[in-house]
Each structure stands twice: as structure tokens, then as C-alpha cells.
Coordinates of all heavy atoms in Angstrom, one line a residue:
M23 N -5.2 -27.3 44.5 CA -6.7 -26.9 44.6 C -7.3 -27.1 43.2 O -6.8 -26.8 42.2 CB -6.8 -25.4 44.9 CG -6.3 -25.1 46.3 SD -7.4 -25.6 47.5 CE -8.3 -24.0 47.8
R24 N -8.5 -27.6 43.3 CA -9.4 -27.7 42.1 C -10.7 -27.1 42.3 O -11.2 -27.0 43.4 CB -9.6 -29.2 41.8 CG -8.3 -30.0 41.5 CD -8.8 -31.2 40.8 NE -9.8 -31.0 39.8 CZ -10.3 -31.8 38.9 NH1 -9.8 -33.0 38.9 NH2 -11.2 -31.5 38.1
A25 N -11.3 -26.6 41.2 CA -12.7 -26.1 41.2 C -13.6 -27.3 41.2 O -13.4 -28.2 40.5 CB -12.9 -25.2 40.1
C26 N -14.7 -27.2 42.0 CA -15.7 -28.2 42.0 C -16.4 -28.2 40.7 O -16.8 -27.2 40.1 CB -16.7 -27.9 43.2 SG -17.9 -29.2 43.4
N27 N -16.7 -29.5 40.2 CA -17.4 -29.6 38.9 C -18.9 -29.6 39.0 O -19.6 -29.7 37.9 CB -17.0 -30.9 38.2 CG -15.7 -30.8 37.5 OD1 -15.2 -29.7 37.2 ND2 -15.1 -31.9 37.1
A28 N -19.5 -29.5 40.2 CA -20.9 -29.5 40.3 C -21.5 -28.2 39.7 O -20.9 -27.2 39.8 CB -21.3 -29.7 41.7
P29 N -22.7 -28.4 39.1 CA -23.4 -27.3 38.4 C -23.5 -25.9 39.1 O -23.1 -24.9 38.6 CB -24.8 -27.8 38.1 CG -24.6 -29.3 38.0 CD -23.5 -29.6 39.0
R30 N -24.0 -26.0 40.3 CA -24.2 -24.7 41.0 C -23.1 -24.4 42.1 O -23.3 -23.5 42.9 CB -25.5 -24.8 41.8 CG -26.7 -25.0 40.9 CD -27.2 -23.7 40.3 NE -28.3 -23.9 39.5 CZ -29.6 -23.6 39.9 NH1 -29.8 -23.3 41.1 NH2 -30.6 -23.8 39.1
C31 N -22.1 -25.2 42.1 CA -21.1 -25.0 43.1 C -19.8 -24.3 42.6 O -19.4 -24.6 41.6 CB -20.6 -26.4 43.6 SG -19.6 -26.4 45.1
V32 N -19.4 -23.3 43.4 CA -18.2 -22.5 43.0 C -17.1 -22.7 43.9 O -16.2 -21.8 44.0 CB -18.6 -21.0 42.9 CG1 -19.6 -20.8 41.8 CG2 -19.2 -20.5 44.2
R33 N -17.1 -23.8 44.7 CA -16.1 -24.0 45.7 C -14.8 -24.6 45.1 O -14.8 -25.2 44.0 CB -16.6 -24.9 46.8 CG -17.5 -24.2 47.7 CD -17.8 -25.0 48.9 NE -19.0 -24.5 49.5 CZ -19.9 -25.2 50.2 NH1 -19.7 -26.5 50.3 NH2 -20.9 -24.6 50.7
Y34 N -13.7 -24.4 45.9 CA -12.5 -25.1 45.5 C -12.2 -26.1 46.6 O -12.7 -26.0 47.8 CB -11.4 -24.1 45.5 CG -11.4 -23.2 44.3 CD1 -12.3 -22.1 44.2 CD2 -10.7 -23.6 43.1 CE1 -12.4 -21.3 43.1 CE2 -10.8 -22.8 42.0 CZ -11.6 -21.7 42.0 OH -11.7 -20.9 40.9
F35 N -11.5 -27.2 46.3 CA -11.2 -28.2 47.3 C -9.8 -28.7 47.0 O -9.3 -28.6 45.9 CB -12.2 -29.3 47.3 CG -12.3 -30.0 46.0 CD1 -11.5 -31.2 45.8 CD2 -13.0 -29.6 44.9 CE1 -11.5 -31.9 44.6 CE2 -13.1 -30.3 43.7 CZ -12.3 -31.4 43.5
V36 N -9.3 -29.4 48.0 CA -8.0 -30.1 47.9 C -8.3 -31.5 47.5 O -9.1 -32.2 48.2 CB -7.2 -30.0 49.2 CG1 -5.9 -30.8 49.1 CG2 -7.0 -28.6 49.7
Q37 N -7.7 -31.9 46.4 CA -7.9 -33.3 46.0 C -7.3 -34.3 46.9 O -6.0 -34.4 47.0 CB -7.3 -33.4 44.6 CG -8.2 -33.9 43.6 CD -7.6 -34.0 42.2 OE1 -6.6 -33.3 41.9 NE2 -8.2 -34.7 41.3
S38 N -8.1 -35.1 47.5 CA -7.5 -36.1 48.4 C -7.5 -37.5 47.8 O -6.5 -38.3 48.1 CB -8.3 -36.2 49.7 OG -9.7 -36.2 49.5
H39 N -8.4 -37.8 46.9 CA -8.2 -39.0 46.1 C -7.8 -38.6 44.7 O -8.0 -37.5 44.3 CB -9.5 -39.9 45.9 CG -10.4 -39.7 47.1 ND1 -10.1 -40.2 48.3 CD2 -11.6 -39.2 47.2 CE1 -11.1 -40.0 49.1 NE2 -12.0 -39.3 48.5
G40 N -7.3 -39.5 43.9 CA -6.8 -39.2 42.6 C -7.8 -38.6 41.6 O -7.5 -37.6 40.9
R41 N -9.0 -39.1 41.7 CA -10.0 -38.7 40.7 C -11.1 -37.9 41.3 O -12.2 -37.9 40.7 CB -10.5 -39.9 39.9 CG -9.5 -40.6 39.2 CD -10.1 -41.6 38.2 NE -11.2 -41.0 37.5 CZ -12.1 -41.6 36.8 NH1 -12.1 -42.9 36.9 NH2 -13.0 -41.0 36.2
Q42 N -10.9 -37.2 42.3 CA -12.0 -36.5 43.0 C -12.3 -35.2 42.1 O -11.4 -34.5 41.7 CB -11.5 -36.0 44.3 CG -12.7 -35.5 45.2 CD -12.2 -35.1 46.6 OE1 -11.0 -35.3 46.9 NE2 -13.1 -34.6 47.4
E43 N -13.6 -35.1 41.8 CA -14.0 -33.9 41.0 C -14.9 -32.9 41.7 O -15.2 -31.9 41.2 CB -14.7 -34.5 39.8 CG -13.9 -35.2 38.8 CD -14.7 -35.7 37.6 OE1 -15.1 -34.9 36.8 OE2 -15.0 -36.9 37.6
W44 N -15.3 -33.3 42.9 CA -16.2 -32.4 43.6 C -15.8 -32.2 45.1 O -15.1 -33.0 45.7 CB -17.6 -33.1 43.6 CG -18.0 -33.4 42.3 CD1 -18.4 -32.6 41.3 CD2 -18.1 -34.8 41.7 NE1 -18.7 -33.3 40.1 CE2 -18.5 -34.6 40.4 CE3 -17.8 -36.0 42.2 CZ2 -18.7 -35.7 39.5 CZ3 -18.0 -37.1 41.4 CH2 -18.4 -37.0 40.1
C45 N -16.2 -31.1 45.6 CA -15.8 -30.7 47.0 C -16.4 -31.6 48.0 O -15.8 -31.8 49.1 CB -16.1 -29.2 47.2 SG -17.9 -28.9 47.3
K46 N -17.6 -32.2 47.7 CA -18.2 -33.2 48.6 C -19.1 -34.1 47.8 O -19.5 -33.8 46.7 CB -19.0 -32.5 49.7 CG -19.9 -31.4 49.1 CD -20.6 -30.6 50.2 CE -21.4 -29.5 49.5 NZ -22.1 -28.7 50.5
P47 N -19.4 -35.3 48.4 CA -20.1 -36.3 47.6 C -21.5 -35.8 47.1 O -21.9 -36.2 46.0 CB -20.3 -37.4 48.7 CG -19.2 -37.3 49.6 CD -18.9 -35.8 49.7
S48 N -22.1 -35.0 47.9 CA -23.4 -34.5 47.4 C -23.3 -33.7 46.1 O -24.2 -33.7 45.3 CB -24.1 -33.7 48.5 OG -23.3 -32.6 48.9
C49 N -22.2 -33.0 46.0 CA -21.9 -32.3 44.7 C -21.8 -33.3 43.6 O -22.2 -33.1 42.5 CB -20.7 -31.4 44.8 SG -21.0 -29.8 45.6
G50 N -21.1 -34.4 43.8 CA -21.0 -35.4 42.8 C -22.3 -36.0 42.4 O -22.6 -36.1 41.2
N51 N -23.2 -36.2 43.4 CA -24.5 -36.7 43.0 C -25.3 -35.7 42.2 O -25.9 -36.0 41.2 CB -25.3 -36.9 44.3 CG -24.8 -38.1 45.1 OD1 -24.2 -39.0 44.5 ND2 -25.1 -38.2 46.4
R52 N -25.2 -34.4 42.5 CA -25.9 -33.4 41.8 C -25.3 -33.3 40.4 O -26.1 -33.2 39.4 CB -25.7 -32.0 42.5 CG -26.9 -31.2 42.4 CD -26.7 -29.8 42.8 NE -26.0 -29.8 44.1 CZ -25.3 -28.8 44.6 NH1 -25.1 -27.7 43.8 NH2 -24.7 -28.8 45.8
A53 N -24.0 -33.3 40.2 CA -23.4 -33.3 38.9 C -23.9 -34.4 38.0 O -24.3 -34.2 36.9 CB -21.9 -33.3 39.0
R54 N -23.9 -35.6 38.6 CA -24.4 -36.8 37.9 C -25.8 -36.7 37.5 O -26.2 -37.0 36.4 CB -24.1 -38.0 38.7 CG -23.5 -39.1 37.9 CD -23.1 -40.3 38.8 NE -21.9 -39.9 39.6 CZ -21.7 -40.3 40.8 NH1 -22.5 -41.1 41.4 NH2 -20.6 -39.9 41.5
A55 N -26.6 -36.2 38.4 CA -28.1 -36.1 38.2 C -28.3 -35.1 37.1 O -29.1 -35.2 36.2 CB -28.8 -35.7 39.5
A56 N -27.6 -34.0 37.1 CA -27.7 -32.9 36.1 C -27.4 -33.5 34.7 O -28.1 -33.2 33.7 CB -26.8 -31.8 36.4
R57 N -26.3 -34.3 34.6 CA -25.9 -34.9 33.4 C -27.0 -35.8 32.9 O -27.4 -35.8 31.7 CB -24.6 -35.6 33.6 CG -23.7 -35.4 32.4 CD -22.3 -36.1 32.7 NE -21.6 -35.4 33.7 CZ -20.6 -35.9 34.4 NH1 -20.2 -37.1 34.3 NH2 -19.9 -35.2 35.3
H58 N -27.5 -36.6 33.8 CA -28.6 -37.6 33.5 C -29.8 -36.8 33.0 O -30.4 -37.2 32.0 CB -28.9 -38.4 34.8 CG -29.9 -39.5 34.5 ND1 -29.5 -40.7 34.0 CD2 -31.2 -39.6 34.8 CE1 -30.5 -41.5 33.9 NE2 -31.6 -40.9 34.4
Y59 N -30.2 -35.8 33.7 CA -31.4 -35.0 33.4 C -31.2 -34.4 32.0 O -32.2 -34.4 31.2 CB -31.6 -33.9 34.4 CG -32.8 -33.1 34.2 CD1 -34.0 -33.6 34.6 CD2 -32.7 -31.8 33.6 CE1 -35.2 -32.9 34.4 CE2 -33.9 -31.1 33.4 CZ -35.1 -31.6 33.8 OH -36.3 -30.9 33.6
Q60 N -30.0 -33.9 31.7 CA -29.8 -33.3 30.4 C -30.0 -34.3 29.3 O -30.7 -34.0 28.2 CB -28.4 -32.7 30.2 CG -28.3 -31.3 30.7 CD -26.9 -30.7 30.4 OE1 -26.0 -31.5 30.0 NE2 -26.8 -29.5 30.6
R61 N -29.5 -35.5 29.5 CA -29.7 -36.5 28.4 C -31.1 -36.9 28.2 O -31.6 -37.1 27.1 CB -28.8 -37.7 28.8 CG -28.6 -38.6 27.7 CD -27.9 -39.9 28.1 NE -26.6 -39.5 28.7 CZ -25.9 -40.4 29.5 NH1 -26.3 -41.6 29.7 NH2 -24.7 -40.0 30.0
H62 N -31.9 -37.0 29.3 CA -33.3 -37.4 29.1 C -34.2 -36.2 29.0 O -35.4 -36.4 28.9 CB -33.7 -38.3 30.3 CG -33.0 -39.6 30.3 ND1 -33.5 -40.7 29.8 CD2 -31.8 -39.9 30.8 CE1 -32.7 -41.7 30.0 NE2 -31.6 -41.3 30.6
S63 N -33.7 -35.0 29.1 CA -34.5 -33.8 29.2 C -35.9 -33.9 29.6 O -36.2 -34.1 30.7 CB -34.3 -33.0 27.8 OG -34.8 -33.9 26.8
A64 N -36.8 -33.8 28.6 CA -38.3 -33.7 29.0 C -38.9 -35.0 29.4 O -39.9 -35.0 30.1 CB -39.0 -33.1 27.8
T65 N -38.4 -36.1 29.0 CA -39.0 -37.4 29.3 C -38.8 -37.9 30.8 O -39.5 -38.8 31.2 CB -38.5 -38.5 28.4 OG1 -37.1 -38.6 28.6 CG2 -38.7 -38.2 27.0
A66 N -37.9 -37.2 31.5 CA -37.7 -37.6 32.9 C -38.9 -37.6 33.8 O -39.2 -38.5 34.6 CB -36.6 -36.8 33.5
A67 N -39.7 -36.5 33.6 CA -40.9 -36.4 34.4 C -41.9 -37.5 34.2 O -42.6 -38.0 35.1 CB -41.6 -35.0 34.2
H68 N -42.0 -37.9 32.9 CA -42.9 -39.0 32.5 C -42.5 -40.3 33.2 O -43.3 -41.0 33.7 CB -42.9 -39.2 31.0 CG -43.9 -38.3 30.3 ND1 -45.3 -38.6 30.5 CD2 -43.8 -37.3 29.5 CE1 -45.9 -37.7 29.8 NE2 -45.1 -36.9 29.2
D69 N -41.2 -40.5 33.2 CA -40.7 -41.7 33.8 C -41.1 -41.8 35.3 O -41.5 -42.9 35.7 CB -39.1 -41.8 33.7 CG -38.7 -42.2 32.4 OD1 -39.6 -42.7 31.6 OD2 -37.5 -42.2 32.1
L70 N -41.0 -40.7 36.0 CA -41.3 -40.8 37.4 C -42.7 -41.2 37.7 O -43.0 -42.0 38.6 CB -41.0 -39.4 38.0 CG -39.6 -39.1 38.3 CD1 -39.5 -37.6 38.9 CD2 -39.0 -40.0 39.3
S71 N -43.7 -40.7 36.9 CA -45.1 -40.9 37.2 C -45.5 -42.2 36.6 O -46.5 -42.8 37.0 CB -45.9 -39.8 36.7 OG -45.7 -39.6 35.3
G72 N -44.9 -42.7 35.5 CA -45.4 -43.8 34.7 C -44.8 -45.2 34.9 O -45.4 -46.2 34.6
S73 N -43.5 -45.3 35.4 CA -42.8 -46.5 35.1 C -43.1 -47.6 36.2 O -43.1 -48.7 35.8 CB -41.3 -46.2 35.1 OG -40.9 -45.7 36.3
S74 N -43.3 -47.2 37.4 CA -43.4 -48.3 38.4 C -44.8 -48.7 38.9 O -45.1 -48.6 40.0 CB -42.5 -47.8 39.7 OG -43.1 -46.6 40.2
Q75 N -45.6 -49.0 37.9 CA -46.9 -49.5 38.3 C -47.0 -51.0 38.3 O -46.6 -51.7 37.3 CB -47.9 -48.9 37.3 CG -48.2 -47.5 37.5 CD -49.3 -47.0 36.6 OE1 -49.8 -47.7 35.7 NE2 -49.7 -45.7 36.7
P76 N -47.5 -51.6 39.4 CA -47.5 -53.1 39.5 C -48.6 -53.8 38.8 O -49.4 -54.4 39.4 CB -47.6 -53.2 41.0 CG -48.4 -52.0 41.5 CD -48.0 -50.9 40.5
L77 N -48.6 -53.6 37.5 CA -49.7 -54.3 36.8 C -49.4 -55.7 36.3 O -48.5 -55.9 35.6 CB -50.0 -53.5 35.5 CG -50.7 -52.1 35.8 CD1 -50.8 -51.3 34.6 CD2 -52.1 -52.4 36.4
Ligands
ZN26 ZN1 -19.0 -28.6 45.3

């Protein structure tokens, strides 16, 4: 049994693949997003509104 590595998740799971770190894929996504968000901290919101303009 391993504890899930996702930020808000307190579940345990049985490791079925060698490098599984989360109880389910959505936890993996959340953990990755949280890490990404921490790195970019405040600029993330700017990116969302400003980056994809077809000029
Ligand atoms: Zn989880």
C-alpha cells in the first residue's frame, strides 16, 4: 500500500504499475497541475487570458 501523492488526496492504493504515485489518474493530473501552478505562481492567470490571441 502507498499513500496517494496528490495534494488533497489522503487515500491509499495498491501499486499496480511500478511507478504509480496516485490512487487514480485524475489525482496524477491534479498533482502535476499543482506543481506547475506553484512554479508559475501568479503569472498563470495572465497566461490564460493573454496568450492565445490570433493577431
Ligand atoms: Zn488520490
Side-chain angles (χ1 to χ4, degrees):
M23 294 283 266
R24 293 199 44 171
C26 182
N27 274 348
R30 301 274 183 100
C31 190
V32 293
R33 283 189 198 148
Y34 288 83
F35 63 94
V36 179
Q37 234 175 340
S38 46
H39 331 293
R41 299 193 47 198
Q42 192 177 357
E43 291 179 76
W44 309 287
C45 65
K46 48 187 177 182
S48 59
C49 277
N51 289 339
R52 215 192 309 157
R54 224 170 289 147
R57 222 175 287 161
H58 187 80
Y59 183 79
Q60 271 186 351
R61 197 184 300 165
H62 293 265
S63 61
T65 59
H68 271 293
D69 280 351
L70 281 178
S71 55
S73 63
S74 59
Q75 284 183 0
L77 288 173

